[in-house]
Amino acid sequence: MSLPRCALLWARLPAGRQAGHGAAVCSALRAHTGPFPRALGRVPAIACASSSASGGSKAPNTSLFVPLTVKPQGPSSDGDVGAELTRPLDKNEVKKILDKFYKRKEIQKLSADYGLDARLFHQAFISFRNYIMQSHSLDVDIHIILNDICFSAAHVDDLFPFFLRHAKQIFPVLECKDDLRKISDLRIPPNWYPEARAIHRKIIFHSGPTNSGKTYHAIQKYLSAKSGVYCGPLKLLAHEIFEKSNAAGVPCDLVTGEERVTVDPDGKQAAHVACTVEMCSVTTPYEVAVIDEIQMIKDPARGWAWTRALLGLCAEEIHLCGESAAIDLVTELMYTTGEDVEVRTYKRLTPISVLDHALESLDNLRPGDCVVCFSKNDIYSVSRQIEIRGLESAVIYGSLPPGTKLAQAKKFNDPDDPCKILVATDAIGMGLNLSIRRIIFYSLMKPSINEKGEKEIEPITTSQALQIAGRAGRFSSKFKEGEVTTMNREDLSLLKEILNRPVDPIKAAGLHPTAEQIEMFAYHLPDTTLSNLIDIFVDFSQVDGQYFVCNMDDFKFSAELIQHIPLSLRVRYVFCTAPINKKQPFVCSSLLQFARQYSRNEPLTFSWLRRYIKWPLLPPKNIKDLMDLEAVHDVLDLYLWLSYRFLDMFPDASLVRDLQKELDGIIQDGVHNITKLIKISETHKLLNLQNLSAESQSRLSGAAKSQSKRGRGPRAMGSKAAEPLGPDAEEKSLASRLVQQGLLTADMLKQLEREWMTQQTEQETGTSLKGTRRKKKEPDSD
């Protein structure tokens, strides 16, 4: 039967008989429009058939499923075929049907079997209802079913196939859950590295505390091998092995995220390479590989890199250096690859002792002392107090460029330099050779990021304490015995307790999704943002008991930052893996600007970069200037990192590297004079506060008095809250803290003062106009 003929016959049917012939019309239409979603009949009859849809895996976190928008259908060029075949739908009747459908417990249970929990079911229904109610014309199949339900020729449950089809449109993850689970299956990671599994590797674990010679013995094997790779946690350590190897007559290349150095003038790769652990090749064969600081396999953010190196390096011998806490985990992991682990234990070469008395005062500092702080503010404060006492100090903290750290270390180690005191963060824990007699913990509380990406402030761990304390009295330094103590007397007993605790054994190794896995995810979920893809991937992922999925908050931060910029998925992924300090606004905005330039296909040339960073830069005049220079150095690092991934778009790596070395020198000069910068910063800060008080004291006093008069009865607490506005109250200390933390500048303070005074003037004007109409207990407008 032709479609026009079917429509004609349908139109001739009396209205009462049209409803009873819905099934006949549907069968006639199928030949022209294709099959409808299967009519499910009554819910009890199909509940059993749907039981397989729920699957046997863990239930996903549906809060991560972001609904897509399905727009209602507008007027069709073919007209409303469903209305021509039946009749126009009564929207009020349709709404009643939909509400009845939503309230049926059987429908809710069936939806849950198909992966729609209460939250998804509600969102899908709202979207489904809006789609039906707001569409000018519906698809023929659903129009006919709705018409049949209106005439009691079909059951309300027959809407379920159409509802499910709509739900899968707005939540595409429902359609491909099984495929997504297969893609995100991170079990049996040794199988990801077929080249390594094709050979039988000898695993040697060099276990021991800091300054025990474990790394030395591993490096000797590395230097004596025909080919080798050193994998370190820091650029500084990779540079150190690079220099040692070439000095020993063993040609060695350097590979870090931001730098590639080949010793051969023709660019031919050397048989030995020193690299950061993320950059090691898992396809190049070596005779010997060294993986340093293997205990970092547990690191919440970077642990995946050690796991990849351990499982994937194609080396006949793999030498692991690290804490004994990692032995059991490494043995278990190697058991799954069929490889044995030989453990070589080392003892500390020089003695170290915990003193029975705290330092208590910086007046008791001696040459060779290192004061360890866990915040920049403490670094600045301690350095300034040491300078007041007529002593010189070197300063080392994490955000300093590697060249500046080495320069400060050299200054501290030089016996002819008057600088005999070091003030540092835990950045000294690895990567620097320092001649320290005594480690002094200024505090034992350290901010950290847990596995969930949450910031915590808690006492340092035993592993961290041993790593830092072990820097005292190193074998290669002039101090053959090390000492450890605290600044405060009450911290000393806690330090002893921490150091005497056994180090907890490491229980799991980190994993990380690859670009290929994310691309396959995106194939199934093309309209999902990269940040949301990562969330869904981590939620769907399955890992063995010896592994965990690393925290990807930094990746997601970058993904959300550049989400609006049109980039291919692979390019977007690379930009998001770029290492940036998300606490530095200029670095974050630079990643955004670099991505924007890339999307426009505009190469980021050397001249463009100079204009962007406003080169030439002046030497720092205060601490804020120094922090700004550090941020610019990080931006140049970002450029260099991207230049090795996108050579054509970041073409001037060598020129930028020369520029970075020049900037490093400026920063070194600033850090060399850091106490002067701190002093200048404090002086400017106090002048700003005094000016604020002097200029506004007379005007503020009247406002303060009026506030105190109004602050009677219930407002008495309000008057106390207003007191810091006075020149002698706590406003000075609050502003001092904000300036010291870099959250306020002198210009910002002046702007705040102008805005506050403007608001006060408007308030006083309003008060005079209102006169007695204003109630005594009315809250202040400010």
Side-chain angles (χ1 to χ4, degrees):
M1 182 185 297
S2 66
L3 183 59
R5 176 65 176 161
C6 176
L8 181 61
L9 292 176
W10 180 263
R12 290 177 178 176
L13 283 174
R17 298 180 61 194
Q18 287 176 357
H21 289 74
V25 174
C26 289
S27 60
L29 286 173
R30 284 191 185 98
H32 300 275
T33 62
F36 299 164
R38 183 171 60 89
L40 295 183
R42 304 299 173 263
V43 169
I46 53 93
C48 296
S50 69
S51 61
S52 62
S54 59
S57 304
K58 66 173 184 177
N61 178 7
T62 58
S63 65
L64 302 175
F65 300 171
V66 179
L68 302 179
T69 301
V70 177
K71 294 181 179 179
Q73 292 188 12
S76 172
S77 58
D78 297 331
D80 192 345
V81 177
E84 292 177 12
L85 290 174
T86 58
R87 67 183 181 99
L89 293 172
D90 184 340
K91 294 291 186 179
N92 291 326
E93 287 295 322
V94 170
K95 186 176 184 301
K96 291 177 182 178
I97 292 171
L98 294 175
D99 290 344
K100 183 179 179 181
F101 174 84
Y102 176 73
K103 293 175 182 177
R104 281 183 60 77
K105 297 295 183 184
E106 294 87 346
I107 292 295
Q108 295 174 17
K109 182 179 182 302
L110 184 58
S111 298
D113 290 340
Y114 279 88
L116 289 162
D117 62 11
R119 175 182 169 276
L120 295 188
F121 176 74
H122 178 74
Q123 287 184 301
F125 174 75
I126 296 299
S127 176
F128 181 61
R129 185 179 64 186
N130 290 342
Y131 173 80
I132 289 178
M133 300 299 293
Q134 296 174 15
S135 292
H136 286 271
S137 60
L138 294 170
D139 292 336
V140 178
D141 49 4
I142 192 170
H143 186 109
I144 291 174
I145 289 293
L146 285 169
N147 183 76
D148 285 357
I149 295 172
C150 288
F151 285 95
S152 301
H155 194 275
V156 67
D157 293 348
D158 293 338
L159 279 176
F160 184 78
F162 306 97
F163 168 73
L164 184 61
R165 180 176 66 185
H166 185 89
K168 289 181 177 180
Q169 283 183 283
I170 68 169
F171 294 116
V173 69
L174 298 174
E175 190 75 78
C176 53
K177 281 194 295 185
D178 290 340
D179 290 334
L180 296 181
R181 282 200 174 93
K182 290 176 183 177
I183 296 168
S184 59
D185 190 342
L186 303 181
R187 292 173 294 185
I188 321 179
N191 292 350
W192 304 347
Y193 308 101
E195 293 92 345
R197 300 292 77 77
I199 62 175
H200 187 76
R201 308 175 305 169
K202 182 179 180 181
I203 312 296
I204 302 167
F205 195 120
H206 300 268
S207 168
T210 305
N211 194 27
S212 61
K214 58 184 184 295
T215 307
Y216 170 82
H217 287 89
I219 294 300
Q220 292 308 305
K221 293 291 293 184
Y222 163 82
L223 294 174
S224 62
K226 294 178 183 177
S227 62
V229 57
Y230 168 84
C231 308
L234 300 173
K235 288 183 284 186
L236 280 174
L237 286 170
H239 269 277
E240 182 182 344
I241 301 303
F242 166 73
E243 291 171 356
K244 280 185 178 180
S245 184
N246 287 297
V250 179
C252 177
D253 293 341
L254 174 69
V255 177
T256 69
E258 299 81 14
E259 192 172 10
R260 309 285 191 280
V261 178
T262 53
V263 291
D264 188 281
D266 297 328
K268 183 181 177 181
Q269 291 185 352
H272 288 70
V273 60
C275 63
T276 46
V277 66
E278 287 88 351
M279 301 304 299
C280 69
S281 168
V282 292
T283 56
T284 306
Y286 301 102
E287 183 180 346
V288 169
V290 176
I291 305 176
D292 207 356
E293 306 293 351
I294 186 62
Q295 72 276 1
M296 290 189 70
I297 200 169
K298 69 173 182 180
D299 188 85
R302 296 179 64 201
W304 64 270
W306 277 263
T307 305
R308 173 177 172 272
L310 177 63
L311 298 177
L313 281 173
C314 300
E316 298 171 24
E317 282 188 17
I318 296 186
H319 293 259
L320 311 175
C321 305
E323 298 175 1
S324 59
I327 293 176
D328 290 345
L329 176 64
V330 168
T331 304
E332 289 180 23
L333 297 183
M334 294 301 96
Y335 178 78
T336 64
T337 66
E339 296 161 332
D340 297 326
V341 179
E342 176 189 341
V343 179
R344 298 179 184 176
T345 305
Y346 301 81
K347 293 184 178 179
R348 186 176 167 87
L349 299 174
T350 57
I352 186 169
S353 59
V354 181
L355 301 180
D356 292 326
H357 57 275
L359 188 71
E360 299 194 75
S361 170
L362 294 177
D363 294 328
N364 298 324
L365 287 172
R366 303 196 306 261
D369 280 350
C370 172
V371 182
V372 176
C373 309
F374 294 115
S375 76
K376 272 190 180 180
N377 285 342
D378 288 344
I379 289 275
Y380 299 150
S381 174
V382 172
S383 301
R384 180 75 176 101
Q385 292 177 55
I386 291 173
E387 193 264 347
I388 291 173
R389 287 165 172 79
L391 302 174
E392 262 194 63
S393 64
V395 172
I396 295 175
Y397 50 87
S399 59
L400 285 177
T404 304
K405 291 178 185 174
L406 290 171
Q408 289 291 296
K410 183 179 179 181
K411 176 184 176 185
F412 173 70
N413 290 335
D414 187 354
D416 298 325
D417 195 290
C419 171
K420 302 300 180 188
I421 308 295
L422 176 63
V423 183
T425 64
D426 54 342
I428 63 164
M430 59 179 71
L432 292 168
N433 292 316
L434 297 163
S435 185
I436 298 173
R437 178 208 302 269
R438 180 172 58 172
I439 290 285
I440 301 153
F441 285 94
Y442 191 73
S443 167
L444 296 176
M445 304 302 292
K446 182 180 187 297
S448 62
I449 304 295
N450 63 19
E451 293 179 0
K452 297 180 180 179
E454 301 164 339
K455 188 172 182 179
E456 298 176 338
I457 299 180
E458 55 188 6
I460 56 175
T461 65
T462 300
S463 178
Q464 291 167 338
L466 289 171
Q467 185 82 22
I468 297 169
R471 309 307 289 179
R474 290 183 65 82
F475 181 74
S476 58
S477 75
K478 64 180 180 181
F479 301 115
K480 301 306 178 186
E481 292 186 14
E483 297 175 342
V484 184
T485 187
T486 59
M487 182 68 189
N488 301 310
R489 186 187 309 171
E490 54 271 21
D491 288 340
L492 191 55
S493 59
L494 177 58
L495 176 63
K496 291 181 178 180
E497 179 188 338
I498 291 173
L499 291 173
N500 288 328
R501 290 177 195 157
V503 179
D504 295 331
I506 299 171
K507 297 180 180 179
L511 295 175
H512 190 285
T514 64
E516 290 76 16
Q517 288 170 320
I518 299 302
E519 279 184 332
M520 286 190 285
F521 244 60
Y523 172 79
H524 289 284
L525 305 173
D527 298 315
T528 305
T529 66
L530 181 54
S531 176
N532 193 215
L533 276 178
I534 293 296
D535 281 334
I536 297 173
F537 184 98
V538 172
D539 183 61
F540 273 59
S541 63
Q542 302 173 73
V543 296
D544 292 327
Q546 298 121 329
Y547 299 95
F548 68 93
V549 180
C550 285
N551 180 280
M552 300 189 66
D553 281 354
D554 288 348
F555 184 99
K556 287 164 51 184
F557 174 84
S558 297
E560 291 166 1
L561 187 68
I562 64 172
Q563 179 57 44
H564 63 287
I565 298 177
L567 298 168
S568 70
L569 182 68
R570 181 57 71 103
V571 170
R572 189 180 301 278
Y573 182 92
V574 173
F575 268 94
C576 293
T577 55
I580 65 168
N581 182 357
K582 61 184 182 183
K583 296 179 182 177
Q584 287 278 11
F586 183 59
V587 179
C588 297
S589 63
S590 297
L591 178 71
L592 186 64
Q593 184 63 36
F594 289 179
R596 187 176 290 117
Q597 288 282 110
Y598 185 100
S599 70
R600 297 170 180 161
N601 201 28
E602 298 176 1
L604 289 89
T605 61
F606 180 63
S607 58
W608 179 91
L609 186 63
R610 282 173 59 99
R611 292 194 301 272
Y612 177 72
I613 64 173
K614 297 180 173 59
W615 189 268
L617 300 172
L618 298 174
K621 297 178 181 178
N622 51 50
I623 289 297
K624 183 182 179 301
D625 289 349
L626 180 61
M627 294 171 65
D628 290 343
L629 292 178
E630 292 170 9
V632 173
H633 192 279
D634 287 348
V635 169
L636 299 184
D637 257 348
L638 176 62
Y639 182 99
L640 293 171
W641 192 92
L642 291 167
S643 70
Y644 289 105
R645 279 83 181 165
F646 307 112
L647 296 176
D648 53 337
M649 297 300 292
F650 297 83
D652 296 327
S654 58
L655 294 173
V656 173
R657 190 171 306 286
D658 293 338
L659 189 70
Q660 191 181 46
K661 289 178 181 176
E662 189 175 344
L663 175 58
D664 201 340
I666 297 174
I667 295 175
Q668 285 182 36
D669 292 341
V671 174
H672 182 75
N673 299 310
I674 192 166
T675 52
K676 294 180 181 177
L677 301 185
I678 297 169
K679 187 176 181 180
I680 291 171
S681 299
E682 286 185 339
T683 304
H684 285 183
K685 175 185 63 180
L686 292 173
L687 281 174
N688 284 335
L689 293 173
Q690 288 169 1
N691 288 341
L692 173 64
S693 299
E695 293 174 6
S696 58
Q697 182 174 0
S698 58
R699 287 176 290 180
L700 292 179
S701 59
K705 288 178 182 178
S706 62
Q707 285 180 341
S708 64
K709 287 179 181 179
R710 292 194 298 268
R712 296 170 185 161
R715 290 287 295 166
M717 294 298 292
S719 67
K720 290 184 180 179
E723 286 176 6
L725 293 174
D728 299 323
E730 294 179 0
E731 171 69 6
K732 185 178 296 185
S733 61
L734 174 60
S736 301
R737 290 198 303 272
L738 293 175
V739 172
Q740 192 174 18
Q741 294 169 11
L743 300 175
L744 277 181
T745 64
D747 293 337
M748 291 168 68
L749 276 175
K750 291 178 181 177
Q751 178 67 20
L752 285 171
E753 182 199 351
R754 287 194 294 270
E755 291 179 3
W756 194 89
M757 293 310 304
T758 301
Q759 196 171 8
Q760 280 296 115
T761 303
E762 292 174 354
Q763 178 189 335
E764 290 173 1
T765 303
T767 303
S768 62
L769 289 173
K770 289 181 181 178
T772 56
R773 287 183 297 171
R774 181 168 182 172
K775 297 181 180 179
K776 278 189 176 182
K777 296 183 181 180
E778 182 184 1
D780 299 336
S781 61
D782 59 334

